[in-house]
Structures are given as structure tokens and as C-alpha cells.
Amino acid sequence: MSKRKVKAKKNTKKTGFFKFIKWFWILFATGVLAGAMLFLFASWGVFGEMPLFEHLENPQTNLATEIFSSDGKTLGKFYLDDNRTPVKFDDLPENLVNALIATEDARFYDHSGIDAIGTLRAIAYLGKKGGASTISQQLARQLFIGAREKEKKTQAILQKAKEWVLATRLETQYTKEEIIAMYLNIYDFGYAADGIRSASKIYFGKEPIDLKIEESAMLVGMLKNSSYYNPLRREELVFNRRNTVLSQMAKYDYITEAQKDSLQALKMDVNFNPENHREGLATYFRMYLQGFMNKWIGENPKPAVEGERDKWSLYLDGLKIYTTIDSRMQLNAEEAVQEHMKKLQAEFFHQNTPLRNSTAPFLDIEKEEIDQIMEQAIKISERWRKMKAEGKSEKDIRSSFTKKTEMTVFDWKSETHEKDTIMTPLDSIRYYKTHLRTAMMSMEPQTGHVKAWVGGVDYRHFQYDNVYQGRRQAGSTFKPFVYAAAIDQLRLSPCYELPDTQYCIEAHKHGNMEAWCPDNSSGKFSGEMYSLKRGLANSKNSITAQLIDMVGPKSVVSIVKNLGINRDILEVPSIALGTEDMNVYEMVGAYGAFANQGVYVKPVMVTRIEDKNGTVLYEYVPETKDVLSKEVSYAMVNLMQGVTQGGSGIHLRTTGYDKIKSRPEFKEVITGYPYEFKNPIAGKTGTTQNQSDGWFMGMVPNLVTGVWVGGDNRSIHFKTLKYGQGATMAMPIWGLYMKKNYENKELGVSDGEFPEPTDMDIVLDCSKPVEDPNKPKDIDEDLDDLDF
């Protein structure tokens, strides 16, 4: 071969090599330039609007309003779609953070938003050996971009570019710890578990800080895809995913191999606690609170901030509401209601079978009245409202009430208190009317702080709050107001005596149109002399009638209004027997003055409201009023102690009545008997005409509690006083509740004496002579009383 040919061949090889190098650098430079332009265009917003710096500094997320009890527990939340309550990094357990980093971003602390090693690996292996999204990128996607359009490759690349830009911006704006907290707070874990705090509460019933390693591993495993890795529907899949997370933790030395093996062998212990507005603790109270907050929001404009809503949102702004409810006492109250009402309802069902009551659940009314009640129930039903809104004709609506349909109804016998059945909507209305209703509220009289609030037996099916919305005749629980007026005006002693005889107030006196001559509940009069204490203890109408004649209805109404019941009340004698409608909220507030030495304190439910940053927006100011003197209020407490010492409330102290064969109601419906209380208790039972309402008001020095039980309509009631009286229907709830409270010494419920005034001038010792207020005073006595 000639030298020229060899040289030509060498020149050709050299030219080819340089050409390859040239094109390599051209392509490389083009790639770098294209990448740089991609980033630049993304940062300029060419591929879609990018968030402003202010939004990066303060990203807007929907936050649930959280309700706190007085003992620091979460009672519930108000939210629409996002049940999110953020937590700080310091409130996250170390094992959760370690699990997250080991699984999602092992080099998290070594990069500035983009993991170069992971990115090159993903490119080289086309994603087959894992992706390259850092925690910062995932946060950017969650906050500002949304889910990737995986079916569109171009769109996915552009979104990835935006993620990279935003991730680097987030890294310059926030610390690593803040990014981890933000990411865990933003993620949707399913079942309204928005953010790590909700997820911890819903899946494990605990705060994030209390999560165990294996629990943290399960939640981190769900970050891959919470709808797919669903622990309730795909337990085995989630179990395997959890164990993968544990393996990653061992790989990066967050746990030992021995720990990994031990933890992987554990079963998943999911404790599912769904959070919604109809379930959980204090549902009826939360219903009241919703109305309270809506009123507060309407009266308190939100400070103007650019880019934010101009009005507070109960469901989106992450408000914090601090309440007076004690979660432990609330639970005691709800358990007491459930235990007693289940037994009482069983007896009511027994007495209202078709053979025993052909018009069940109604009693002693004609068919026309029943038809009117059912017609009213139809027209206020949710079915009627919805179909009317849809433009359905009245004929079609009425027809729908007679067609059988599948439905879930309340059922005491079921563990969940629900059962699936088939019945007509009309039958379901009657079915629900067969269930007795109840209300209970408990308050600290010195502060007005409401500690427990139960408005019914099950909020899912009975969404009417009988504590605040419902009003029913107060019966004999109104009598203490009459006694208070008499003692206040006439300085009567609890030992003062009146005859148990028929007493009439003539027509045209005290606003009477005709003579008023009330009977005792037994229909009999003994003719004996009764002390005021004995008369109230045995709820003698004859004694109360004489007292209201002595002081007049006007003075009684005045005291009642000063005790917080600010409604029009007829100034007629019959109010003495509780003919006026009251609610439990009003009655507990009013009785609180007796236990608080005559000072009325308006019931308080909310002590403070804060925004998401902890800024105080509202702080309550106590509303108080001096109504009775210390001496009069103590005399009233002494009177009402007689109710539990020898009157209608005596079963709170006794034993053995459940053994008497002639008293089967004790074994069946006096739930929790015997109670065997030894401490001072003041109280009053109440029963209205035909046993339509049963009441009990009970007091110890630092807790006043009211209970009401009755039907949805006054014509729904027990046939006899044995079962329909307040001592049977309502008092057992109080007894159960207080027993539970006393079992927990931390609650500090008093079992001591009511405080006695130092200068008590009203005679309480009935062995001493009692002055007759109707006896004219000697002129010398009158002069002695004057202060010259």
C-alpha cells in the first residue's frame, strides 16, 4: 500500500474522530441549553402560571377548624373537603421522619431540591430502578401543580420542570424540617384523613407524636398512593408495603436488622376512628357550636389580607375553638344516657305492642289528632323538603311516602345502633316517634362552664338538640323558683309549715280568669301540716299553690327572668306547677344560682377562639348577676337536699328497693341502682301531666346537672306514673353520670358540704321555733328593727 493511501486513511480516521467529538459537544451543549431554557421558561411561567413569591412564603391550604375540650382533647372538627390540622416538625415522632426519608428521599439533607444522582439514575434506567422525585418536589406538586398527566409525556415533562423550579425555590424559602412538616401536613391519606395529624387520629386514634415505628411505617407506605394502599380494603398489600418501608429504614441504619425482623412480624393494628360531623364525642354540642360560630363570624369581619378571603370560614381557615366541655365528663354523660335510655326504651316498646296499645306510640288521643301529628311530621321531613325543591308535585311526594324502600334506621339492639331494613317512609316516621328523646347538660355553677352536653341518643338519626332547641313543660322542677320568691320576700324558713289541703285561688286574683284549685299528683290531700322542706321533697301542689298566692306570680316571674330565662312568661298562678315550657340549658343556668350563693352566671361554652397562627380573636367575658342573697340561696339548697333525703329523689341514697317484688320497675328501668351516694345532694324531680315529661335537676357544690326525658310529642308517654315520673325516667341518668364522675378523682367533683353563709338568719333547724310571717309584729319589735 502506498504511503499516500495510508496517510489518507489515517486522516480519514482522525477526521471521523474529531467529527464525533464535535457532534458530542454540540449535542451536549444543546442538551444543557435546552435544559436551561426549559428551567428558564418554566420559571417565567411559559408552561403555566407559577406561584408568586408571597404564595411560596405563605402557601394557601384549606385547614379544618378544630374544637378543643377544656382538658386539651380534640372534640371534633369543622371542614368541607379538607379535614386538615397542621402540626409542627417538633410534634412529629423521629421514627416517622426517618421512615419518610429512608423511603422517599434518602439524600434529602444533601441536596437543594433536586437529587442529581437520583435523576441520572432515573434517566439511565428509564425509571425502572426508582424515580427521582425528592420530598421537596413532591411538596411542590401537592401545593401548586397537582397530579401529573401521565398519559401525556410532553405535559409530564413540563410539569416536572415546574416541580424542579418550585422545589429549589421552596428549599431557599424553608428549612428542611419545615419542608418535611409541610409535606406530611398536605398529604391526603383517604377517609377525610388530610394531613398526618388527621391520619394518625383516624387510623390509630392517637396524636402523631405517639405513633409507634410500625404505625409510622404504614402511614409512610401510604404516601405512594393512599387510594391504592388502603389499609381497610387492601390489608395484605398495605402490610407488604409497610414492611418495605421497614426494610428501607434498616437499609439506611435507622433501625437494626433485628428490629426490622421483629417489627415486620407484627400484624397491622389499625384502630379506625372516622371523623365526621355526625359521629364522635359531643355531636349535639358541636351542632350548637356550629350555630354559635356562624353568628360570631357574621358579627366579626376578617382583617383584610391581600389574596385571602374577606370573611372568616368555619371550614377552611383553621380556626381553633377552645370550649368548656370536659371530654371525660362528656364521655361519662354520653355513657350514662346510653345505658339508661336503652333499658327505658325496651320497657316503652314492651308497653306499646299492638296488643297493649293499638294507637302506639300515641296514647289517649283520637285518630284525628294522630293524623294531624303524622301530617305535620311528613311536611317537615327531609324527604318532603328535597322533593319539593326538585319541583315534584304534592301528589308524587305523598305517593313516595307509601312506597317501601331500603333504608338504614336506628336500632338499640345493634352494636352500631343501626340496622338495614325495608319499610315505607311513613312507617319510618312512626317508627322513630316510638323512640323516647332525652337531654342532659352539666355546668360548674361558680364559672358557668358547661362540662357536658348531650342533646339526644344518637345524632346520626335524631338531629334535634333537646338541650338548647327543645322546650318542654318544666313540671315540679319549676317549684323551687316559687319557694325562692317566698323565702326571699317573706324570709320563710324551710321549717315553716302549711296544711296539705285543697287550696283555691279565687277568680280574678293574680290574673286568674277563674278559680284555680290544683290537685296533688296523687289526687289526695292528707290534711297534715307540711314544712316547706317536706312539701318540696314530696312535691305537694297544695303547698306550692299557697306560696304563690302569698307572693304573687309577678314576683316569681321576676326571679325567673333574673335567673336567665328571658322569655315572656304568663303571670298567672298555674306557672307554679311548671306549665311553662323550658329547656335544659335554661334550667341548669337558673339552678346554678342556688349552688353559687345566689349569683347567676350565664352558661359558657366557648372561652377562646384563635386563628391558625394562634392570634386570639375572641375571649369570653363572664356575665353574672346577683339574684338572691347567700342566706336565701343556702336555704333553697337546704330545701332541695330534702328531696334526696326523704322525698322523690331518695333512691339516690337507698338500697334494697330493687329486691321488693311489688317494685319491678327498679330492676327493669332504674339503671345503675343502688347508687348509694353519701354526700350532700340537692335536687328536684319533675313530672308533667300524663307523664309526658320526666325531669331531674341535681346539684353538688361545684356541679349542677339537668336531665329531661320524654317523647317527640306530648301524646307519646308511659301509661302510669310508676314508669313515667322524673325519678324513673330522668334521675337514673344523673345517678349513673355522677357515679362515673366520682370514680375519676382527677375531675374534682365535690362530695363535700355546700358552703354555709357566716351570718345565716333563716332558721334551718326545725327543732327551733319558726316565726309566722303572717302574724302582725308588735310595734316595739318594729321600732327595734329600725336603724336610727
Side-chain angles (χ1 to χ4, degrees):
M1 186 181 293
S2 67
K3 289 183 179 181
R4 182 177 293 179
K5 285 185 178 180
V6 171
K7 189 175 181 180
K9 192 172 182 180
K10 284 182 180 181
N11 287 338
T12 302
K13 284 184 179 181
K14 196 171 183 180
T15 302
F17 174 73
F18 281 116
K19 191 175 183 181
F20 170 78
I21 294 296
K22 176 184 173 183
W23 279 106
F24 170 80
W25 284 109
I26 289 173
L27 290 173
F28 180 79
T30 302
V32 170
L33 182 63
M37 293 301 294
L38 187 67
F39 273 99
L40 191 61
F41 288 156
S43 64
W44 288 346
V46 173
F47 307 135
E49 187 178 359
M50 296 289 278
L52 300 173
F53 175 79
E54 291 79 6
H55 291 166
L56 282 173
E57 190 176 30
N58 185 27
Q60 294 296 307
T61 56
N62 294 333
L63 303 177
T65 289
E66 190 165 12
I67 309 161
F68 294 97
S69 68
S70 61
D71 55 318
K73 304 296 182 183
T74 299
L75 291 176
K77 299 177 184 178
F78 293 122
Y79 62 90
L80 292 177
D81 297 319
D82 297 330
N83 176 22
R84 182 176 292 105
T85 306
V87 293
K88 296 178 181 178
F89 181 83
D90 291 342
D91 296 323
L92 298 173
E94 186 179 7
N95 61 58
L96 178 68
V97 176
N98 292 341
L100 174 65
I101 292 173
T103 308
E104 296 293 327
D105 192 352
R107 287 174 289 276
F108 176 69
Y109 286 108
D110 301 324
H111 62 67
S112 298
I114 301 173
D115 181 5
I117 296 173
T119 301
L120 291 173
R121 183 196 63 216
I123 294 171
Y125 293 97
L126 301 177
K128 292 179 181 179
K129 290 194 175 184
S133 286
T134 63
I135 292 174
S136 305
Q137 287 174 241
Q138 293 180 52
L139 174 61
R141 187 189 315 146
Q142 292 277 344
L143 282 174
F144 305 111
I145 299 173
R148 286 199 211 123
E149 300 288 340
K150 290 188 176 181
E151 71 278 8
K152 298 178 181 178
K153 296 292 184 182
T154 304
Q155 184 69 17
I157 292 171
L158 297 180
Q159 283 195 3
K160 193 67 177 177
K162 291 168 69 176
E163 280 179 28
W164 284 340
V165 173
L166 290 172
T168 55
R169 289 183 179 178
L170 287 171
E171 289 272 352
T172 60
Q173 188 67 36
Y174 297 99
T175 65
K176 291 288 187 178
E177 289 75 19
E178 288 173 329
I179 288 172
I180 286 177
M182 289 172 68
Y183 177 60
L184 290 172
N185 282 326
I186 199 71
Y187 193 81
D188 179 1
F189 289 85
Y191 297 106
D194 298 298
I196 191 63
R197 186 157 186 257
S198 293
S200 300
K201 300 273 283 184
I202 288 173
Y203 289 112
F204 297 109
K206 60 179 67 174
E207 294 291 339
I209 197 69
D210 299 319
L211 288 170
K212 299 176 183 178
I213 296 175
E214 66 273 19
E215 293 168 341
S216 292
M218 189 199 91
L219 293 176
V220 168
M222 293 175 67
L223 293 171
K224 188 171 184 178
N225 185 332
S226 60
S227 61
Y228 184 68
Y229 291 97
N230 183 321
L232 302 185
R233 288 170 29 205
R234 299 186 178 95
E235 185 176 350
E236 184 178 354
L237 187 72
V238 177
F239 175 83
N240 293 334
R241 176 64 183 163
R242 180 204 70 175
N243 286 351
T244 298
V245 174
L246 292 170
S247 295
Q248 288 293 106
M249 293 180 74
K251 176 181 177 181
Y252 291 103
D253 297 325
Y254 290 116
I255 58 175
T256 66
E257 284 293 324
Q259 280 181 298
K260 181 202 75 172
D261 294 339
S262 176
L263 293 170
Q264 286 183 336
L266 295 175
K267 291 183 178 180
M268 288 199 308
D269 188 19
V270 174
N271 177 20
F272 189 60
N273 296 276
E275 289 185 355
N276 59 58
H277 305 307
R278 296 190 176 192
E279 294 181 286
L281 200 63
T283 46
Y284 287 95
F285 172 73
R286 285 186 269 143
M287 173 188 177
Y288 161 81
L289 191 59
Q290 188 175 28
F292 174 93
M293 288 302 299
N294 286 335
K295 184 173 183 291
W296 180 85
I297 287 170
E299 296 172 352
N300 294 270
K302 187 178 183 181
V305 177
E306 188 177 351
E308 291 193 10
R309 290 176 286 271
D310 59 358
K311 184 179 179 181
W312 291 112
S313 170
L314 181 60
Y315 308 100
L316 304 174
D317 281 337
L319 300 175
K320 299 172 185 175
I321 308 171
Y322 295 89
T323 75
T324 60
I325 297 293
D326 187 296
S327 67
R328 300 159 297 180
M329 296 173 77
Q330 178 69 29
L331 182 62
N332 289 345
E334 293 186 11
E335 287 179 349
V337 165
Q338 293 290 311
E339 289 169 26
H340 177 61
M341 291 304 294
K342 184 175 183 178
K343 276 195 170 186
L344 190 68
Q345 188 65 54
E347 179 59 32
F348 191 74
F349 282 149
H350 175 71
Q351 295 186 22
N352 281 276
T353 60
L355 289 176
R356 293 185 177 91
N357 180 12
S358 60
T359 59
F362 309 102
L363 197 63
D364 301 328
I365 60 173
E366 300 297 324
K367 183 180 182 302
E368 291 74 17
E369 293 178 82
I370 294 175
D371 291 342
Q372 288 177 6
I373 292 172
M374 294 299 290
E375 174 68 12
Q376 183 184 20
I378 288 171
K379 288 191 172 181
I380 64 173
S381 68
E382 187 70 5
R383 173 179 287 269
W384 182 282
R385 186 191 67 80
K386 283 184 176 180
M387 294 185 74
K388 199 77 174 173
E390 292 170 359
K392 304 287 186 183
S393 68
E394 184 168 326
K395 181 181 178 182
D396 289 340
I397 296 173
R398 289 188 180 279
S399 175
S400 74
F401 277 87
T402 59
K403 294 177 181 177
K404 287 192 174 184
T405 183
E406 294 181 357
M407 61 180 71
T408 301
V409 298
F410 179 77
D411 179 31
W412 275 114
K413 295 179 181 179
S414 167
E415 188 176 332
T416 61
H417 290 167
E418 288 186 326
K419 70 175 181 181
D420 295 327
T421 187
I422 298 175
M423 64 172 72
T424 69
L426 190 61
D427 287 339
S428 74
I429 290 175
R430 198 160 189 139
Y431 172 78
Y432 275 108
K433 283 191 175 292
T434 310
H435 289 77
L436 296 172
R437 310 300 206 265
T438 188
M440 175 185 181
M441 187 176 115
S442 195
M443 182 189 81
E444 186 178 72
Q446 290 76 23
T447 62
H449 287 194
V450 174
K451 296 298 182 180
W453 178 306
V454 186
V457 294
D458 191 305
Y459 184 71
R460 294 172 300 174
H461 295 276
F462 304 94
Q463 292 171 28
Y464 186 80
D465 176 27
N466 290 290
V467 168
Y468 194 77
Q469 289 179 302
R471 285 197 177 99
R472 294 293 282 264
Q473 286 187 344
S476 294
T477 55
F478 191 89
K479 289 178 180 176
F481 305 135
V482 180
Y483 280 69
I487 294 174
D488 185 45
Q489 288 188 26
L490 307 175
R491 309 304 286 182
L492 296 183
S493 161
C495 305
Y496 180 71
E497 293 185 337
L498 289 169
D500 176 26
T501 56
Q502 178 87 63
Y503 189 84
C504 291
I505 298 177
E506 61 266 29
H508 309 299
K509 184 181 182 183
H510 300 316
N512 263 353
M513 296 300 293
E514 54 187 43
W516 183 63
C517 308
D519 290 329
N520 286 328
S521 60
S522 65
K524 301 175 183 178
F525 300 93
S526 67
E528 298 177 16
M529 297 299 291
Y530 270 71
S531 68
L532 297 191
K533 190 170 186 177
R534 186 180 169 208
L536 185 64
N538 291 279
S539 212
K540 292 292 182 181
N541 293 343
S542 58
I543 307 299
T544 311
Q546 293 174 69
L547 291 176
I548 199 165
D549 190 23
M550 293 166 70
V551 298
K554 188 172 184 178
S555 63
V556 176
V557 171
S558 176
I559 281 182
V560 168
K561 289 194 172 184
N562 283 331
L563 291 173
I565 304 174
N566 297 311
R567 287 184 287 102
D568 290 335
I569 298 175
L570 288 175
E571 295 177 357
V572 294
S574 60
I575 64 170
L577 305 186
T579 54
E580 286 291 325
D581 287 347
M582 304 285 172
N583 62 32
V584 173
Y585 170 87
E586 294 169 328
M587 293 295 284
V588 171
Y591 268 66
F594 296 136
N596 191 34
Q597 300 185 314
V599 179
Y600 168 76
V601 183
K602 185 177 180 180
V604 177
M605 284 69 71
V606 177
T607 56
R608 192 170 78 256
I609 302 171
E610 295 178 355
D611 68 9
K612 64 183 180 182
N613 299 315
T615 303
V616 176
L617 305 175
Y618 164 87
E619 202 152 18
Y620 92 104
V621 177
E623 295 182 42
T624 65
K625 189 173 189 178
D626 292 340
V627 181
L628 302 169
S629 69
K630 292 181 180 180
E631 294 76 22
V632 171
S633 61
Y634 187 74
M636 284 304 305
V637 167
N638 180 272
L639 273 172
M640 287 188 280
Q641 281 182 285
V643 173
T644 66
Q645 291 167 348
S648 55
I650 194 172
H651 302 309
L652 292 172
R653 302 189 179 282
T654 58
T655 60
Y657 275 88
D658 55 332
K659 304 295 192 298
I660 301 175
K661 291 184 178 179
S662 62
R663 293 179 175 269
E665 72 273 15
F666 279 86
K667 188 171 290 185
E668 298 301 325
V669 295
I670 308 297
T671 317
Y673 181 87
Y675 309 103
E676 301 184 85
F677 294 119
K678 309 294 183 187
N679 56 296
I681 298 170
K684 186 70 191 81
T685 58
T687 309
T688 61
Q689 191 173 12
N690 297 326
Q691 302 81 241
S692 293
D693 306 278
W695 289 81
F696 183 72
M697 304 296 300
M699 300 187 294
V700 295
N702 65 350
L703 197 66
V704 177
T705 304
V707 183
W708 167 86
V709 176
D712 190 37
N713 301 90
R714 290 186 54 78
S715 55
I716 300 170
H717 57 80
F718 280 104
K719 195 169 187 176
T720 64
L721 192 62
K722 178 188 288 187
Y723 291 98
Q725 62 181 300
T728 306
M729 289 213 293
M731 192 170 70
I733 293 176
W734 190 91
L736 287 165
Y737 170 64
M738 292 302 290
K739 280 178 74 173
K740 292 173 186 290
N741 286 341
Y742 282 130
E743 287 169 2
N744 187 348
K745 300 299 182 184
E746 291 182 2
L747 296 177
V749 177
S750 173
D751 59 359
E753 298 285 344
F754 288 88
E756 183 175 356
T758 52
D759 299 321
M760 188 66 192
D761 61 351
I762 299 173
V763 177
L764 301 179
D765 183 355
C766 294
S767 65
K768 296 180 180 180
V770 179
E771 184 181 335
D772 187 343
N774 294 315
K775 175 186 173 183
K777 279 191 173 184
D778 185 89
I779 184 66
D780 293 331
E781 293 176 356
D782 289 338
L783 290 173
D784 289 339
D785 289 340
L786 294 176
D787 184 3
F788 293 102

